[in-house]
Amino acid sequence: MSPRPSPQLPEDLILCSILPLLPVRSLTRFAAVCKPSPASSALARFHNGRFEILGDAATAAAVAPDPSLSFLAVDRSGNHYEQLDLCACAGGLLCFTAVQVESRRRVLFICNPATENVHRILYDCPLGVPGLAYDPAATERGYDVVVAAKEGWQACRFCWFSSRAAGSGWRTTLGAATLRLAPYEELQPKPACAGGRVHWFTSAGNIVWHDVAAMRSGVLPPPQPPCQWSGNMDLAAWRGRLRMACATAAGLGVWELASYGGAGGGGHGAAARWEAVHWRSWSAIPGVIAPERCFLWSVVPAGMVGGGEEALGLALRCAHVAPPERRARGEAYVWVRALVRYDRCTGVTVVAAKLAGKEIHDGLGTVVGYHSSLAPLPRLNLDA
């Protein structure tokens, strides 16, 4: 019988609630022998109605005791909900859209899967792409939901709901917080929150951001590597800063946003400053077949997770010529369809999930780097 895994505490509880209560002299001594565990950080996805932690069983049980999220199906008033869809993740909280069965009204759920606390918010704003701003280490606990909604072909307006202003409902930005995008430029799902700003990729490859506290918004260009390239990209918050991963035919790169540029990065073409933090060719990453050896090849970055490993999720879809022993059995090609966890420090890749079907985007739109939190949700004066 294998030994039971030792219990793990979420890092935000250790750093923000436990360590500040200890004497400085004790902290100095402890630092030499013990460091916070990254076990509460993992790649996760919402797939087939379940919140799946793509890691070991012990981490999954600690992060999401109820992966079916059954506590979202019925509220305390007996109302039922369906069409659950994960739209944002920040600081251990998840944001879902859903439809109330009885009234057919759209709602948003803000929940913590580790504690099973949940808030229900009526979706009383224009349809758009919701984002979530939340920092469990902030002095003033609370979250903001920001919906980026297109108006016509080019205008983009933001609606927001703040848990710190309970009962006030949704508000709509005016003036400088309204953006003008290129014709047919659309916002992409799975935004990332970093530094109090929510960020969305657009179909044109730009990054739209909205500052919750300052009520300002802008558009950033992506980093410009020294060679011409195009590829699949993903945004994520990494230790409080915005990072972008890009998979091209040449390799895998990661950039970090060092400055928004100008007066906060407003408008198109602002002089944002990106720093390259990682680059590796596919031949140097085990488990990923280089494109020149495949007749069908695609890699999509899908979530980043911090902690000690600093891992990225990579969705692989490729087909290459089968080795002789498999060709003898009538297999001309070998298909690879998997989500792998790539440790960028060690270069090691581990299969985190098998992908069903031939579509690389199977369940990948909601793959996130998730960091669990035991911080309680703030009290709301809303009908729950």
Side-chain angles (χ1 to χ4, degrees), residues 309-361:
E309 293 183 327
E310 297 191 351
L312 290 86
L314 297 176
L316 313 179
R317 182 194 178 208
C318 64
H320 58 94
V321 177
E325 64 274 12
R326 298 187 65 168
R327 290 202 302 271
R329 298 196 300 266
E331 300 180 48
Y333 301 100
V334 176
W335 280 90
V336 176
R337 292 184 291 271
L339 177 69
V340 302
R341 178 187 176 101
Y342 164 64
D343 185 328
R344 75 176 188 89
C345 296
T346 64
V348 174
T349 57
V350 178
V351 174
K354 295 290 187 179
L355 301 181
K358 295 184 178 181
E359 293 299 323
I360 190 169
H361 295 288

Side-chain angles (χ1 to χ4, degrees), residues 38-374:
S40 58
S41 297
L43 289 173
R45 67 172 177 171
F46 186 68
H47 184 55
N48 290 334
R50 295 176 63 82
F51 184 60
E52 301 176 353
I53 301 300
L54 305 176
D56 59 75
T59 300
V63 171
D66 178 11
S68 66
L69 304 180
S70 59
F71 56 93
L72 299 182
V74 183
D75 65 23
R76 289 181 295 179
S77 301
N79 298 306
H80 298 77
Y81 299 90
E82 62 181 11
Q83 301 179 27
L84 203 65
D85 188 23
L86 178 63
C87 55
C89 169
L93 298 188
L94 304 178
C95 178
F96 290 88
T97 58
V99 175
Q100 189 182 71
V101 174
E102 291 81 4
S103 66
R104 308 310 300 173
R105 294 193 66 179
R106 296 177 63 87
V107 298
L108 289 171
F109 284 119
I110 309 298
C111 74
N112 185 334
T115 62
E116 299 188 1
N117 294 137
V118 59
H119 285 166
R120 179 182 64 88
I121 304 169
L122 292 177
Y123 199 132
D124 290 334
C125 68
L127 293 180
V129 185
L132 181 64
Y134 174 68
D135 181 4
T139 304
E140 183 185 4
R141 292 287 174 86
Y143 61 81
D144 295 89
V145 181
V146 182
V147 176
K150 285 290 294 293
E151 293 183 348
W153 289 359
Q154 294 180 271
C156 180
R157 185 166 292 181
F158 301 89
C159 302
W160 84 99
F161 177 93
S162 176
S163 67
R164 287 176 290 272
S168 60
W170 290 86
R171 303 179 185 180
T172 303
T173 59
L174 300 172
T178 300
L179 289 180
R180 187 174 180 84
L181 304 179
Y184 304 107
E185 186 175 10
E186 299 294 333
L187 296 157
Q188 303 299 300
K190 207 175 73 168
C193 176
R197 298 184 178 192
V198 183
H199 306 79
W200 295 261
F201 257 135
T202 75
S203 55
N206 296 309
I207 300 169
V208 167
W209 60 264
H210 180 74
D211 189 316
V212 175
M215 297 307 299
R216 299 178 62 249
S217 58
V219 181
L220 296 173
Q224 298 298 319
C227 60
Q228 295 296 321
W229 55 268
S230 62
N232 296 310
M233 297 179 286
D234 189 48
L235 287 177
W238 199 312
R239 298 178 179 175
R241 303 185 75 175
L242 185 70
R243 285 198 173 181
M244 190 200 85
C246 181
T248 75
L252 177 69
V254 179
W255 288 263
E256 183 172 275
L257 183 64
S259 170
Y260 285 84
H268 282 275
R273 184 166 63 88
W274 294 87
E275 294 178 350
V277 297
H278 181 76
W279 173 261
R280 189 164 291 177
S281 66
W282 298 119
S283 60
I285 301 178
V288 181
I289 301 174
E292 59 269 17
R293 295 173 52 196
C294 303
F295 74 90
L296 179 64
W297 182 92
S298 183
V299 177
V300 176
M304 305 182 204
V305 58
E309 293 183 327
E310 297 191 351
L312 290 86
L314 297 176
L316 313 179
R317 182 194 178 208
C318 64
H320 58 94
V321 177
E325 64 274 12
R326 298 187 65 168
R327 290 202 302 271
R329 298 196 300 266
E331 300 180 48
Y333 301 100
V334 176
W335 280 90
V336 176
R337 292 184 291 271
L339 177 69
V340 302
R341 178 187 176 101
Y342 164 64
D343 185 328
R344 75 176 188 89
C345 296
T346 64
V348 174
T349 57
V350 178
V351 174
K354 295 290 187 179
L355 301 181
K358 295 184 178 181
E359 293 299 323
I360 190 169
H361 295 288
D362 175 56
L364 297 182
T366 56
V367 173
V368 295
Y370 183 75
H371 188 101
S372 64
S373 170
L374 294 182

